[in-house]
């Protein structure tokens, strides 16, 4: 089976399946490699019967496929694999707001979890500094925020996708002596409030104009009084 880069979800049952956190988690595990129901049961610490029920539903909806059958101790073991590395709901499914939101949120969470595991498993050399000049580093970690419009974000994403296409052209043959594997993830989404506050931001507790009406000095005085009374 050739795994696709992404497929469009055309049927509501497909969207409904991926909006379920457990099924989305199963598909996430089947994106990078093939696994059996037993292996998934051990990985997720869930009874095998329950795993096989969800595997059957995912296979029925065309989201995963059996890529290999293996006989072990007289028992046929099926190896499953996700049919694609990404899934996009079709336009006519978008009115199913709750299911679409759940699917996109769960997909984002699992992608970030995969990145965490990849960072944990990365070799020590991946985080070795050879220079204090960050422009010479072969790795990058950024967390940024910006207050802008949706239209500007969409326009910037178009440029970013073009850059990603250029990034893919860096691929070398595996037998190239200079070739090294690099893992990259990017995730951007709207949030209700900023992740970090500037020192003079009125929402910062240290700011004299904080919404509570208390200055930093008042908070320090309160803490001192608590210490004296304890």
């Amino acid at each position: 089976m050739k795994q696709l880069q992404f497929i469009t979800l055309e049927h509501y049952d497909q969207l409904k399946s991926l909006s379920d956190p457990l099924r989305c988690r199963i598909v996430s595990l089947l994106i990078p490699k093939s696994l059996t129901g037993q292996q998934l049961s051990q990985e997720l610490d869930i009874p095998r019967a329950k795993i096989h029920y969800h595997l059957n539903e995912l296979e029925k909806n065309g989201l995963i496929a059996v890529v290999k059958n293996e006989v072990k101790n007289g028992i046929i073991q099926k190896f499953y694999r996700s049919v694609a590395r990404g899934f996009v709901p079709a336009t006519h499914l978008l009115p199913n707001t709750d299911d679409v939101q759940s699917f996109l949120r769960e997909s984002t969470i699992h992608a970030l979890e995969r990145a965490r595991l990849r960072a944990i498993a990365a070799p020590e050399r991946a985080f070795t500094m050879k220079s204090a000049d960050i422009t010479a580093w072969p790795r990058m970690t950024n967390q940024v925020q910006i207050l802008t419009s949706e239209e500007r974000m969409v326009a910037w994403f178009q440029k970013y996708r073009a850059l990603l296409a250029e990034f893919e052209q860096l691929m070398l043959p595996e037998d190239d002596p200079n070739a090294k594997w690099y893992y990259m993830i990017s995730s951007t989404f709207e949030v209700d409030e900023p992740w970090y506050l500037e020192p003079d931001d009125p929402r910062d507790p240290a700011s004299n104009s904080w919404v509570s009406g208390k200055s930093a000095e008042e908070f320090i005085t309160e803490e001192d009084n608590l210490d004296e009374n304890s």
Side-chain angles (χ1 to χ4, degrees), residues 2 16 22 45 58 71 75 80-81 106 118 120 139 143-144 149 175 178 209 213 217 224 227:
K2 179 177 175 58
K16 190 68 176 177
L22 176 56
D45 193 23
L58 289 168
V71 179
I75 300 175
Y80 296 87
R81 189 78 186 265
E106 290 296 326
R118 295 292 285 170
I120 292 173
R139 63 176 178 85
Q143 290 191 72
V144 297
S149 67
D175 59 357
N178 296 315
S209 57
E217 289 76 9
D224 290 340
D227 291 338

Side-chain angles (χ1 to χ4, degrees), residues 1-4 6-11 13-15 17-18 27 30 54-66 80-87:
M1 181 197 81
K2 179 177 175 58
Q3 190 180 56
L4 301 175
F6 76 91
I7 64 170
T8 301
L9 304 176
E10 295 288 351
H11 306 290
D13 287 344
Q14 293 178 312
L15 174 62
S17 286
L18 288 178
V27 172
L30 295 176
H54 289 293
L55 287 173
N56 289 334
E57 290 298 307
L58 289 168
E59 184 182 12
K60 181 178 70 176
N61 287 309
L63 302 171
I64 64 173
V66 176
Y80 296 87
R81 189 78 186 265
S82 172
V83 300
R85 291 191 286 273
F87 303 88

Side-chain angles (χ1 to χ4, degrees), residues 128-194:
T128 299
M129 284 184 58
K130 299 179 180 179
S131 169
D133 179 9
I134 63 173
T135 63
W137 293 359
R139 63 176 178 85
M140 178 184 294
T141 302
N142 285 320
Q143 290 191 72
V144 297
Q145 62 186 18
I146 185 173
L147 185 64
T148 188
S149 67
E150 181 174 315
E151 291 74 15
R152 287 190 171 193
M153 283 305 304
V154 171
W156 186 83
F157 281 145
Q158 292 176 353
K159 297 178 182 179
Y160 181 63
R161 290 189 179 93
L163 190 60
L164 286 179
E166 181 181 328
F167 174 77
E168 293 177 355
Q169 299 304 312
L170 300 176
M171 191 73 176
L172 293 173
E174 288 197 43
D175 59 357
D176 189 306
N178 296 315
K180 299 178 181 179
W181 284 108
Y182 287 88
Y183 176 83
M184 184 175 76
I185 181 173
S186 57
S187 183
T188 307
F189 43 84
E190 181 185 346
V191 293
D192 286 331
E193 56 187 17

